[in-house]
Amino acid sequence: MIRYNFTRDRPTPPLKSDFATSEEAAAHDAWFRAKVERAMASTASKIPHGQMMAEMRANTDGRGKL
């Protein structure tokens, strides 16, 4: 696969995988996709984004930027 960086005229090099084998990469992909599917199907109460960000800011005041 060739990826193009449109700020240059030449293709960018392929991304280096964090996995030693394609089997490890496939297993991680399957695990991650299943985790996302479970989260999307969850009936647990949802916290609105603005509320969550306000809570995180309150928890991290003075310790860095969010």
Side-chain angles (χ1 to χ4, degrees), residues 17-50:
S17 175
D18 290 334
F19 301 99
T21 66
S22 59
E23 290 81 11
E24 286 180 7
H28 180 269
D29 184 67
W31 166 81
F32 186 75
R33 287 175 186 272
K35 187 173 179 111
V36 169
E37 287 295 324
R38 280 192 310 274
M40 292 176 64
S42 174
T43 59
S45 62
K46 311 283 191 267
I47 299 173
H49 180 262

Side-chain angles (χ1 to χ4, degrees), residues 3-25:
R3 294 180 308 116
Y4 286 94
N5 180 340
F6 292 104
T7 60
R8 300 185 200 168
D9 292 331
R10 62 182 189 268
T12 57
L15 297 173
K16 182 181 176 190
S17 175
D18 290 334
F19 301 99
T21 66
S22 59
E23 290 81 11
E24 286 180 7

